[in-house]
Amino acid sequence: MGNIYFDICSIPLFLIILFVCYSRRMTKGNANHLFIALVLISLISAVADLGIEIPRGLLPMSPALTVFCTVSTYIYLIMRNATNVVLLLFLLHLTQTSFLIRNKVAKILFSLPYTALVILLIQNPITHNVFIVTAETGYARAPLMIACYIIAAIYGIVGFVYSIFCRRYLTLRKWLSLLSIYVLAYTAVIIQFFKPDSLLEMFFTAVGEMLVMLAVMRPEERMDSDVGMLSWASYRWDIRNILRSHEHVQIIVIRLQNGREIRNYLGDQKYNEYLTRIAGGIRSIKWKHPNRAEIYLERPDTIYIITEPDDTLTEDAARHLLTTVGEDVRKDVNMGVRSETRICLIRCPEDLSKEEDIISLGHKFSKIDSREQPVVPAGEIVNSQTFAVEVHIEDILDRAIGENLVEMHYQPIYDVRSGRFCSAEALVRIRDPEFGLLSPGVFIPAAEAQGLIIPLGDVITEQVFRFVSEHDLDELGLDFVEMNLSVAQCMDSALPGKFLSLQEKYGVDPARINLEITETTYENVSEIMLENINELIGMGYTFALDDYGTGYSNIQRINRLPLRLITIDKTVLDEISTENGRTILEYTMRMMQKTGKQLVVEGAETREVVETLENLGCDYIQGFYFSKPLPGDEFVRFIEDKRINKTPAGV
Ligand code: C2E
Ligand code: MG
Ligand code: MG
């Protein structure tokens, strides 16, 4: 009898691994399934190995023991070889390269050696050419036993070589742990070759699998454990691998439109509970392929589910899910929470086959699809111009900056008191050869997000300085031109230097340029921004606060800022038809004027609105009623025309 203690020790090790797998909830997903299968099969092999060894050594051979030993040998050979097969499959799944065995030929080649083993074992009871167990001789190997070893070696060597090749798909730690399974198994085989009684193989296998469990199967790396969903990083990683493996899947993007509000309302902890319940709800849906449905969270408000292509979340199911969860939470916190959701269904790779596009659509579908339908099939929007622009925005911006496709348009601003146009706001456009004239609402946020706002801002600034230098503003009756500055520009420590060199290059008087910063810029005010603003003011530039009424409108802060103008956002005009709306506007304007600031109201589209604003005492009005933003030369013609004809502005 061999030294069975190693075999015996391996059994609790396998049981511990299984226990840990279940307690760490590593029960979903193909890689987890294969790993658990690997450990189970290894456990059965170890038990079967003992089933061969114990009777041989401890008891005299009897017919019953012969049968027991024979059955154990069959189980051992079947299972031990299966561990090699499953280990190789595990490796393929872990490295997301299982597509390599997806076609028929590959499948046949892959299963051929194992099939040969099964055939060998099936014919063994008749031929006894693999092994034989008799009461007289006990267990004895027959010549074809070598075939079993060769078959095991085929999977083992292929797996070992492949795992070396897979280095680039895995981190060093994971890769070394995977290699260790093979290295330990080969070491055991070599030791056993020289010392046949040592029976180290199953023990070494258990150690290798334990290393893999500790180093490779780390659900906490993939999980957002506060909510029981996979993390956003895992989503990106899985998408990349799905595309690489040409797998067909469906991605269901659930966007909680008011997720941020719900979070603010519930607080972080309750919000996590809320998301945990959503995850539970999604899991309880009767998916056709429940093991395939993986749930991911991109904090704070976007959930992704990757399913088989024929498995889908209907609008009804989604709504039901979210209202039930909402109801539950409402009962819990004794307050009203109602989630508003939009869902996008992306078939991959049919609708989209690039990682960035899939990520981008998940983020932007509710903005791109303005129809406000709750479920948006990606196929309906991926060919739209808006999506193309959103997806290519980085290239568009690069091209615009590099090839000078940035164009400034100017919108006149009407001075109520003098009845003439006294200034203009410079508004940027991009004239893209492929996508046409693009408005800043589309590309400014993208430029800010991608760190391109500074180079874009530099182009804008230069164009505005050039425009001011090329035209005699006095002759046009304009006091100054307004230019928008974004937060990043305000925080650029080189900003005053850039302005200084431009004013020298173009011979522009700084008093001719009024710089608009938004309320949100000012909310994020930083030391460097204040330094910039003060330095520019010292150089002679003036400032205006844009979009007043859209943020928190901190009156004290506004009072402290040396502002020349305040621009009231056009959304404020939505209320102008009501008595209350007019009262608020009137008193806001008075308050500002009393503190020495002048007011522009933007967004006036009709004569009635203009008249109301005039009656309320507004200083300046900007809006489509007078003119839309116009390209430089058209704008100049417009102003000249108004001056020559001395027509009341806008009529
Ligand atoms: P903003 O600075 O508040 O500019 C006013 C916006 O209101 C402009 O939109 C203008 O076309 C629009 N507008 C003016 N009158 C009316 C009207 O009567 N009705 C309607 N519906 N709209 C009116 P635009 O040109 O699309 O610019 C949007 C925003 O993009 C700007 O809002 C500004 O925040 C930003 N932006 C524009 N140009 C620049 C720029 O050169 N640099 C930076 N950093 N931001 C810019
Ligand atoms: Mg503005
Ligand atoms: Mg504005």
Side-chain angles (χ1 to χ4, degrees):
M1 186 181 80
N3 180 354
I4 58 170
Y5 298 112
F6 282 110
D7 262 356
I8 293 173
C9 286
S10 72
I11 290 171
L13 284 186
F14 288 125
L15 290 173
I16 290 171
I17 300 173
L18 285 175
F19 174 76
V20 174
C21 282
Y22 278 94
S23 60
R24 285 164 99 194
R25 299 214 211 149
M26 290 161 49
T27 49
K28 290 195 124 259
N30 283 333
N32 279 337
H33 289 163
L34 285 166
F35 184 68
I36 289 175
L38 178 67
V39 182
L40 269 175
I41 294 169
S42 308
L43 173 67
I44 298 170
S45 309
V47 174
D49 203 17
L50 281 175
I52 303 169
E53 291 299 326
I54 292 179
R56 277 208 305 164
L58 293 180
L59 305 166
M61 253 347 207
S62 66
L65 210 55
T66 313
V67 174
F68 184 77
C69 198
T70 310
V71 172
S72 296
T73 312
Y74 276 117
I75 295 175
Y76 178 78
L77 289 174
I78 291 271
M79 291 298 168
R80 188 71 191 108
N81 276 280
T83 53
N84 290 324
V85 180
V86 176
L87 180 58
L88 188 50
L89 281 175
F90 172 66
L91 195 63
L92 287 166
H93 272 92
L94 205 67
T95 50
Q96 304 278 352
T97 48
S98 53
F99 62 91
L100 290 174
I101 52 160
R102 194 158 295 152
N103 71 52
K104 252 199 189 115
V105 180
K107 269 186 188 147
I108 291 172
L109 279 176
F110 184 85
S111 44
L112 203 60
Y114 194 72
T115 316
L117 173 97
V118 174
I119 293 169
L120 267 180
L121 294 179
I122 290 174
Q123 56 87 53
N124 186 56
I126 306 158
T127 58
H128 299 298
N129 54 10
V130 181
F131 71 92
I132 184 162
V133 185
T134 60
E136 299 75 41
T137 56
Y139 169 87
R141 289 173 186 170
L144 282 186
M145 180 54 101
I146 187 78
C148 296
Y149 287 110
I150 293 172
I151 289 165
I154 291 173
Y155 286 107
I157 291 168
V158 170
F160 182 63
V161 172
Y162 190 64
S163 57
I164 292 175
F165 167 76
C166 283
R167 168 67 191 100
R168 63 199 163 112
Y169 299 143
L170 299 160
T171 59
L172 182 66
R173 186 192 58 202
K174 291 185 181 182
W175 180 66
L176 288 176
S177 324
L178 273 171
L179 274 189
S180 74
I181 287 206
Y182 289 104
V183 173
L184 283 164
Y186 288 135
T187 314
V189 169
I190 293 166
I191 296 174
Q192 250 173 267
F193 183 78
F194 292 108
K195 283 189 74 182
D197 281 348
S198 57
L199 298 187
L200 281 169
E201 210 181 323
M202 293 322 298
F203 180 73
F204 275 34
T205 302
V207 173
E209 286 174 13
M210 190 150 260
L211 282 176
V212 168
M213 186 196 63
L214 293 175
V216 182
M217 311 302 285
R218 291 166 69 96
E220 58 278 11
E221 275 180 5
R222 285 177 49 83
M223 289 295 279
D224 187 329
S225 50
D226 288 334
V227 290
M229 294 190 231
L230 292 165
S231 66
W232 163 235
S234 309
Y235 173 70
R236 290 204 319 254
W237 171 255
D238 289 352
I239 291 292
R240 195 171 310 152
N241 287 322
I242 283 166
L243 293 172
R244 204 178 56 197
S245 64
H246 308 291
E247 217 176 309
H248 287 246
V249 296
Q250 176 169 237
I251 304 164
I252 302 168
V253 188
I254 306 179
R255 206 179 148 73
L256 305 172
Q257 299 283 85
N258 56 344
R260 284 168 203 270
E261 286 82 35
I262 296 180
R263 186 186 55 181
N264 293 342
Y265 182 67
L266 295 174
D268 279 344
Q269 200 181 337
K270 278 268 171 226
Y271 186 62
N272 279 347
E273 265 176 47
Y274 173 67
L275 292 173
T276 310
R277 285 189 219 185
I278 293 183
I282 294 172
R283 257 181 231 112
S284 69
I285 290 173
K286 299 224 170 328
W287 299 103
K288 282 190 201 145
H289 312 273
N291 288 329
R292 195 64 184 86
E294 301 268 29
I295 312 166
Y296 308 79
L297 173 69
E298 182 183 2
R299 280 185 179 271
D301 51 13
T302 312
I303 295 166
Y304 301 86
I305 312 169
I306 300 185
T307 65
E308 289 286 321
D310 60 337
D311 228 343
T312 197
L313 178 67
T314 60
E315 185 189 330
D316 282 349
R319 197 169 291 147
H320 175 72
L321 166 75
L322 291 154
T323 31
T324 335
V325 173
E327 282 297 324
D328 278 1
V329 177
R330 189 162 29 201
K331 272 184 220 137
D332 258 23
V333 294
N334 202 19
M335 282 188 209
V337 179
R338 182 152 295 138
S339 35
E340 291 157 24
T341 42
R342 288 196 81 194
I343 296 173
C344 183
L345 305 175
I346 311 172
R347 285 172 308 137
C348 180
E350 292 86 349
D351 293 335
L352 291 172
S353 55
K354 277 206 213 127
E355 185 192 341
E356 324 78 86
D357 294 359
I358 295 172
I359 304 269
S360 185
L361 185 64
H363 286 161
K364 295 175 183 162
F365 76 93
S366 50
K367 196 168 125 199
I368 295 168
D369 186 87
S370 52
R371 293 170 297 172
E372 289 299 322
Q373 56 187 35
V375 179
V376 185
E380 286 180 15
I381 50 174
V382 289
N383 295 321
S384 71
Q385 167 94 345
T386 329
F387 179 65
V389 171
E390 288 285 351
V391 166
H392 295 108
I393 196 72
E394 203 165 339
D395 299 336
I396 293 173
L397 280 164
D398 277 339
R399 187 159 54 190
I401 296 166
E403 296 173 21
N404 205 11
L405 304 170
V406 176
E407 225 175 70
M408 296 313 289
H409 285 201
Y410 296 85
Q411 188 179 29
I413 297 175
Y414 176 65
D415 178 348
V416 175
R417 221 151 290 133
S418 66
R420 65 180 176 97
F421 291 108
C422 66
S423 60
E425 179 171 9
L427 294 155
V428 65
R429 310 290 183 247
I430 287 178
R431 194 173 291 279
D432 188 81
E434 197 180 334
F435 299 105
L437 194 68
L438 302 174
S439 64
V442 174
F443 59 82
I444 292 273
E448 283 173 339
Q450 285 156 13
L452 289 169
I453 192 72
I454 300 283
L456 179 65
D458 291 347
V459 176
I460 292 171
T461 320
E462 172 122 26
Q463 289 211 20
V464 173
F465 271 86
R466 191 182 310 131
F467 178 84
V468 173
S469 78
E470 282 172 357
H471 298 91
D472 186 342
L473 294 196
D474 286 333
E475 199 160 292
L476 292 171
L478 302 178
D479 300 332
F480 53 82
V481 169
E482 307 227 4
M483 183 166 75
N484 293 281
L485 283 184
S486 68
V487 191
Q489 279 177 289
C490 292
M491 296 203 304
D492 176 10
S493 55
L495 190 73
K498 286 177 183 171
F499 272 60
L500 189 65
S501 61
L502 284 173
Q503 80 188 41
E504 280 167 3
K505 178 173 172 190
Y506 290 103
V508 166
D509 174 5
R512 295 298 198 173
I513 291 177
N514 185 47
L515 300 166
E516 287 196 4
I517 53 171
T518 61
E519 263 196 277
T520 32
T521 310
Y522 199 62
E523 271 156 31
N524 301 317
V525 76
S526 65
E527 201 62 23
I528 175 81
M529 197 186 286
L530 274 184
E531 275 173 26
N532 277 347
I533 293 176
N534 287 329
E535 201 171 335
L536 288 166
I537 288 174
M539 286 159 68
Y541 293 92
T542 50
F543 277 84
L545 188 74
D546 203 358
D547 301 345
Y548 181 80
T550 52
Y552 294 105
S553 310
N554 185 323
I555 295 165
Q556 277 189 0
R557 237 179 344 188
I558 290 169
N559 191 35
R560 266 184 250 131
L561 247 192
L563 294 168
R564 174 180 192 167
L565 277 175
I566 299 207
T567 305
I568 295 190
D569 193 69
K570 49 186 168 295
T571 50
V572 174
L573 292 187
D574 296 346
E575 301 297 315
I576 202 167
S577 55
T578 68
E579 184 68 39
N580 277 352
R582 279 194 299 275
T583 310
I584 291 173
L585 188 58
E586 183 182 354
Y587 284 94
T588 309
M589 293 198 292
R590 278 213 204 144
M591 178 179 70
M592 297 297 179
Q593 285 160 339
K594 282 245 176 215
T595 54
K597 290 164 173 81
Q598 292 190 306
L599 278 148
V600 187
V601 176
E602 66 180 20
E605 293 185 355
T606 61
R607 177 195 279 268
E608 293 76 56
V609 170
V610 171
E611 281 171 1
T612 312
L613 290 172
E614 285 178 345
N615 292 335
L616 292 175
C618 181
D619 301 301
Y620 305 103
I621 307 172
Q622 179 182 354
F624 291 175
Y625 171 70
F626 298 112
S627 167
K628 292 199 168 181
L630 301 167
D633 45 352
E634 264 181 58
F635 166 78
V636 172
R637 251 180 277 133
F638 171 88
I639 294 285
E640 281 171 350
D641 183 51
K642 294 284 171 197
R643 278 175 66 77
I644 292 164
N645 294 322
K646 297 244 182 305
T647 48
V651 193

